[in-house]
Amino acid sequence: MGILDSFEKGLERAVNGAFAKTFKSGVQPVEITSALRRELDTKAAVVARDRILAPNRFTVRLAQADFRRITDLGPALVDELIQLVQQHAASQGYQFTGAVTIDFENDPGLSEGMVQVDSTSVKGTVAWTPVLDINGHRHALVKSRTVIGRGSDADITIDDTGTSRRHVEIIWDGARAQVRDLGSTNGSQLNGAPVTQAILEPDSVITIGRTRIVFRVVAQAGSDPAPRRTDDATQRHDMGGFWGPNT
């Protein structure tokens, strides 16, 4: 770590310490977003005239009370933070060496309201996995058809009397997803509009009864690919991951 890095880290600790003394309610997601963006800008390094590498693995350290409160928000918060990191990187022209990951860590040395972020660059590939976020729980779509309803025979059973026993099904063909209402009593909605069957875009919201279902496609670290030809050294992923030439 250079002198400038040490100074900025010290300044960050001082600011966070003052924040902790002023706001007793604990850290908020917006403070985590700011800390991630600051870490991204601090660690971004110019390696060529048109290539700026930024870290892609982040560890957010929080006091115990903040850690418990933030992690209770579930995986949807992590997805939002990753999306914000990717958007900021794109706006600044930063490139990653692999999938962006964010982990939370309980740090007993921090006071409530403080947040510190560590980061590193990890080379790898990305596996994109379709998931459903329902009532704070994440369900990976591992079957071609996943039935959701209040019946015990549904693939995902929800405790909602406003839904049918087999209310909707999510169809996944390995590349795209669809939602199909299974003749439910109260019907289904997609992004606030009635739906019988439709294609699902990432972050689509399905509503059945009082239950909100969010369809997402999330990045997970994958295994390194086999060596490729040098003329295939640059790749871009449609779902938002971006890598420059392999090093």
Side-chain angles (χ1 to χ4, degrees), residues 148-149 162-168 180-182 184 187-188 208:
I148 306 170
T163 63
S164 298
R165 296 181 61 83
R166 294 170 61 87
H167 198 110
V168 294
R180 184 166 75 93
D181 187 274
L182 298 176
S184 64
S188 306
I208 59 174

Side-chain angles (χ1 to χ4, degrees), residues 118-235:
D118 299 320
S119 65
T120 186
S121 293
V122 179
K123 187 175 180 179
T125 58
V126 179
W128 295 93
T129 304
V131 300
L132 300 174
D133 287 336
I134 308 174
N135 297 330
H137 296 282
R138 171 156 292 176
H139 306 268
L141 294 177
V142 296
K143 301 169 60 177
S144 60
R145 295 177 182 270
T146 301
V147 175
I148 306 170
R150 62 181 174 84
S152 59
D153 58 338
D155 297 303
I156 300 176
T157 301
I158 55 177
D159 184 14
D160 185 342
T161 56
T163 63
S164 298
R165 296 181 61 83
R166 294 170 61 87
H167 198 110
V168 294
E169 70 173 353
I170 307 300
I171 304 168
W172 174 252
D173 65 4
R176 63 179 184 174
Q178 297 183 55
V179 58
R180 184 166 75 93
D181 187 274
L182 298 176
S184 64
T185 301
N186 295 326
S188 306
Q189 291 187 337
L190 176 61
N191 299 325
V195 65
T196 301
Q197 183 166 350
I199 296 293
L200 289 175
E201 299 293 339
D203 299 321
S204 295
V205 178
I206 305 160
T207 304
I208 59 174
R210 301 182 307 276
T211 301
R212 184 173 182 268
I213 303 167
V214 182
F215 170 74
R216 302 181 189 275
V217 181
V218 299
Q220 297 180 340
S223 57
D224 288 335
R228 296 178 297 177
R229 301 189 310 272
T230 55
D231 61 352
D232 189 29
T234 302
Q235 62 177 349

Side-chain angles (χ1 to χ4, degrees), residues 66 78 91 96-97 114 158 185 190 193 203 205 224 242:
D66 289 328
V78 176
S91 69
F96 299 118
T97 58
M114 297 179 68
I158 55 177
T185 301
L190 176 61
D203 299 321
V205 178
D224 288 335
F242 180 81

